[in-house]
Amino acid sequence: MTGILAGFFLYFAIVLGIGFAAMYYRPIKSIDDFILGQRAFGSVVSGLAAGTTLASGYAFIGLVAMGYQMGFLALYQAIFCPILDFVCWRFLGPKMRRYSEKYNVITPVEMLAHLRGDPYNLIKIIGGLVVGVFMFVYLGSNFMAGGKAAHVLNVDYNVAVIGSSILVILYTMSGGATAVYWTDALQGALMILLCIIMPVTALNQVGGFSAFIQKLYEIDPILPSWSGGKAGWPLFVALWMWTSVAVGFLGQPQSLQKFITIESEKRLPAGAFIAVFFNMMRQYFPLILGMCGRILFPTLSDPEYTTPTFISQYFPNLVGGLLLAAIFAAIMSTTDSLLLQGTSELVRNVLQHGILKNKQLSKQFYERASRVVTLLLGVTALILALLGVDTVFFLVLLAFAGLASSIGPAMFAGFYWRRTTSWGILAGIITGTLATFIWYNGSNKLFGLHEGLPSFIIASIAVVVVSLLTKPSDVEREL
């Protein structure tokens, strides 16, 4: 246990050091510096930052639990998600990078408002608020995951949640995008280490791959089955859920932001390869670890404790501390990006270009406002985590679906359908948000189907229908 603590605190010290070093290496003098980090991020840093941004506590807490509970049926997510991640890099990445530089728009919501104009600043204000709300939910779920991961250290849940939250808030406030991207790159390397060491060790502990399959079958014949023992409608519902999760990769603003901040468009192909390959690793390996955990720890009261339990039993040393740090790396690399993105959209769109548009305020005012909003957003999400209102898995899926449905359809339509209007874009943002919350809170979810895909489809229909019913905008900016 002493070794675990040593490795764990070594990681925290390094991350905090990188975060504060960013503040001195690239001083923040304006909100643009806070959000963009001077657009000085290459393929490796951008690719790892994009990949780790989407990993979150879900990767090594929630997703491991899904492998533990569902077996092979959960592997469909690992198949579908990298495909749609690549689609996003291929079809939105180049257009967003080019557009951002040409028109000096620095966040996805600002880009939506700029594509066809923004009547009454509604796209900026409502879009910024929507992203802020979902970031709040997403942040809370990741802080909760940090509390569960600290179980291995016998650290009180509340102490772990508060401590990890304060760390992320501090370095994000201090260094902005530079601190977030640099720490994410380090955290990505740690997560790769976890993805390799832990599943390989777990498979070895259960007796190899053949024994792994056989023992899963002995526990429950449906675990090594690609249908999960389901047929007909129940199987359709399960596959629908994983498709819905994958669709979430088409509109996450914290990931889309990496297309804006990457050094140049020519860096995108290499960045895409790194991000998609990383995404494949962090999907397959945690699921395998979860299935091995079902064999090694068949009586766990909460499957979301599989990873920390595995570390405490098989790596009670410095390596275990680094592996535990990798779980926090997944959590913190998403948390810092969520904090940064939520702050960026709220300050840039809701305040600077929205409510305070006609006020003559200095760059320093918005730079300071960015730090204050970071603190407020982080603290409110921390309160959600301390309340523990839902599981990590389902809170992440709610936020993931909501962000994708509110931003994705409008962004794709804005770039690829000339008939899209500003009102259509606004309708997509509002409809995607409402559909996600209504579907999520429906009785046993409406029709038993996960909210991600239907919300995305409903928002897409709203963009098309409202665009056809409204006058084409006089504003149409070409790349």
Side-chain angles (χ1 to χ4, degrees):
M1 187 61 70
T2 301
I4 289 182
L5 282 169
F8 184 64
F9 285 112
L10 174 64
Y11 158 76
F12 269 87
I14 292 172
V15 167
L16 192 60
I18 291 174
F20 282 110
M23 178 174 60
Y24 293 101
Y25 186 75
R26 291 184 187 159
I28 297 172
K29 299 178 181 178
S30 68
I31 186 175
D32 290 45
D33 292 339
F34 189 87
I35 295 172
L36 296 177
Q38 302 175 16
R39 296 187 199 265
F41 305 108
S43 301
V44 175
V45 171
S46 296
L48 283 174
T52 56
T53 290
L54 297 175
S56 77
Y58 172 78
F60 298 117
I61 300 295
L63 194 55
V64 171
M66 287 299 101
Y68 187 103
Q69 294 173 315
M70 300 176 66
F72 274 36
L73 184 60
L75 288 171
Y76 284 105
Q77 173 175 331
I79 297 170
F80 297 155
C81 287
I83 295 172
L84 293 190
D85 190 19
F86 172 78
V87 167
C88 201
W89 276 86
R90 172 64 182 83
F91 292 101
L92 284 184
K95 288 185 175 290
M96 290 185 67
R97 181 60 181 83
R98 217 173 301 144
Y99 194 94
S100 171
E101 184 168 21
K102 185 173 183 178
Y103 297 108
N104 193 34
V105 294
I106 63 175
T107 75
V109 170
E110 185 182 4
M111 192 170 290
L112 287 177
H114 198 265
L115 280 168
R116 298 293 188 273
D118 187 5
Y120 311 109
N121 284 327
L122 290 175
I123 292 175
K124 293 189 191 77
I125 294 173
I126 295 176
L129 288 172
V130 164
V131 171
V133 168
F134 281 118
M135 291 299 176
F136 161 70
V137 176
Y138 210 156
L139 276 167
S141 68
N142 275 276
F143 289 156
M144 287 170 60
K148 290 195 172 186
H151 171 72
V152 69
L153 298 175
N154 293 319
V155 174
D156 179 75
Y157 173 87
N158 291 338
V159 172
V161 169
I162 293 170
S164 59
S165 304
I166 290 174
L167 178 65
V168 174
I169 292 169
L170 279 176
Y171 74 72
T172 303
M173 285 176 59
S174 302
T178 301
V180 168
Y181 284 47
W182 285 359
T183 54
D184 284 359
L186 168 68
Q187 290 159 345
L190 271 175
M191 290 163 66
I192 291 172
L193 179 71
L194 187 150
C195 281
I196 294 172
I197 291 178
M198 291 189 63
V200 169
T201 302
L203 284 170
N204 183 61
Q205 291 296 324
V206 300
F209 190 76
S210 296
F212 165 69
I213 300 295
Q214 180 60 38
K215 289 178 180 178
L216 281 178
Y217 185 85
E218 291 171 357
I219 293 172
D220 191 334
I222 70 170
L223 290 175
S225 166
W226 284 96
S227 68
K230 303 178 186 293
W233 181 256
L235 180 59
F236 176 80
V237 170
L239 295 177
W240 179 282
M241 182 179 76
W242 296 129
T243 306
S244 291
V245 174
V247 165
F249 281 79
L250 298 178
Q252 298 297 311
Q254 70 276 19
S255 181
L256 298 179
Q257 186 70 26
K258 303 323 186 266
F259 305 151
I260 294 173
T261 55
I262 198 168
E263 185 178 26
S264 66
E265 189 178 341
K266 67 181 182 180
R267 300 283 190 182
L268 284 168
F273 175 81
I274 292 169
V276 174
F277 182 75
F278 179 89
N279 189 16
M280 291 176 63
M281 288 189 66
R282 68 94 176 171
Q283 299 276 349
Y284 280 104
F285 290 118
L287 288 169
I288 292 171
L289 177 62
M291 286 182 259
C292 289
R294 182 67 176 267
I295 299 168
L296 297 170
F297 316 115
T299 60
L300 278 182
S301 59
D302 184 349
E304 291 191 341
Y305 286 119
T306 300
T307 306
T309 301
F310 183 86
I311 291 173
S312 66
Q313 183 155 334
Y314 294 102
F315 294 97
N317 48 36
L318 183 63
V319 174
L322 293 175
L323 292 175
L324 180 64
I327 302 176
F328 273 85
I331 296 164
M332 292 167 62
S333 60
T334 297
T335 302
D336 56 21
S337 289
L338 296 175
L339 264 179
L340 179 66
Q341 197 63 42
T343 296
S344 302
E345 300 291 7
L346 289 170
V347 176
R348 178 74 167 184
N349 297 304
V350 178
L351 295 181
Q352 187 178 22
H353 289 168
I355 298 170
L356 303 178
K357 181 179 180 180
N358 297 320
K359 302 287 185 181
Q360 298 299 317
L361 298 170
S362 67
K363 290 183 178 180
Q364 287 74 24
F365 172 84
Y366 289 109
E367 177 262 324
R368 293 184 188 121
S370 298
R371 299 182 195 274
V372 171
V373 172
T374 299
L375 177 62
L376 293 175
L377 186 61
V379 170
T380 52
L382 172 59
I383 293 170
L384 175 65
L386 293 175
L387 292 174
V389 296
D390 210 334
T391 65
V392 171
F393 179 77
F394 287 108
L395 276 178
V396 168
L397 291 191
L398 168 65
F400 208 67
L403 288 168
S405 300
S406 59
I407 301 298
M411 191 69 78
F412 275 96
F415 278 118
Y416 284 99
W417 188 40
R418 296 175 68 91
R419 184 63 179 80
T420 307
T421 68
S422 57
W423 292 107
I425 289 172
L426 182 62
I429 293 171
I430 295 172
T431 307
T433 303
L434 293 177
T436 302
F437 275 112
I438 291 171
W439 209 284
Y440 180 82
N441 290 293
S443 178
N444 193 29
K445 296 191 184 294
L446 296 181
F447 312 112
L449 299 174
H450 181 267
E451 62 273 5
L453 185 54
S455 299
F456 196 93
I457 292 171
I458 291 168
S460 300
I461 293 171
V463 173
V464 172
V465 171
V466 174
S467 292
L468 292 174
L469 292 175
T470 52
K471 181 181 177 181
S473 174
D474 294 331
V475 179
E476 184 173 348
R477 299 179 174 91
E478 299 291 343
L479 289 178

